[in-house]
Amino acid sequence: ASVAANTVYIFQFGLLYTCASALVDLLMGFTCPASQTLLSWGATGPEANVADPSATLARSAYLAADGSGGGTGRTYGAGAAGPNYLWGSGILQNGANAGSLTLVWAQATTDAVNLLTLKAGSHMIVYPVA
């Protein structure tokens, strides 16, 4: 999503994804213009690094990054039993640089056979608030 300089945004996102292997995790995060005042987001999804994340408690993660253009990503599980869903929200207090707020994701564990697939219905909604 395009973001203007010196503007505050709130955003919500949901990722629907599948993978044939429960040991292949999802790594996700955000990039944004450099020198933002605040990028903070949290998400709830399957626990990472377990053989069957669909049978475990959901993992909640929270991340705040000041001025770094996005900060570090977080890893969530991918249960092989069926579709997985990750839901979260955040805030971006953008600085003097216009640009983009981008949700980035990747397969956290390399596996050329069992590929993680982002499905239709995944979304991100961005609202300017100030």
Side-chain angles (χ1 to χ4, degrees):
S2 294
V3 293
N6 302 311
T7 306
V8 176
Y9 296 88
I10 58 172
F11 55 95
Q12 297 176 319
F13 56 93
L15 299 180
L16 182 64
Y17 57 98
T18 60
C19 187
S21 170
L23 299 177
V24 176
D25 293 328
L26 170 79
L27 174 65
M28 62 125 343
F30 291 89
T31 62
C32 64
S35 302
Q36 87 281 8
T37 303
L38 174 68
L39 170 65
S40 178
W41 62 274
T44 301
E47 183 66 57
N49 301 318
V50 295
D52 184 8
S54 64
T56 66
L57 296 176
R59 173 183 182 174
S60 294
Y62 173 80
L63 176 73
D66 296 337
S68 66
T72 305
R74 292 288 186 253
T75 303
Y76 296 88
N84 303 278
Y85 190 70
L86 172 71
W87 183 88
S89 60
I91 185 169
L92 169 64
Q93 186 174 349
N94 202 21
N97 300 314
S100 297
L101 172 64
T102 306
L103 187 153
V104 293
W105 68 275
Q107 190 165 307
T109 305
T110 302
D111 186 330
V113 176
N114 297 299
L115 300 177
L116 190 130
T117 304
L118 195 62
K119 304 301 268 182
S122 298
H123 63 279
M124 182 169 84
I125 303 168
V126 180
Y127 306 93
V129 293

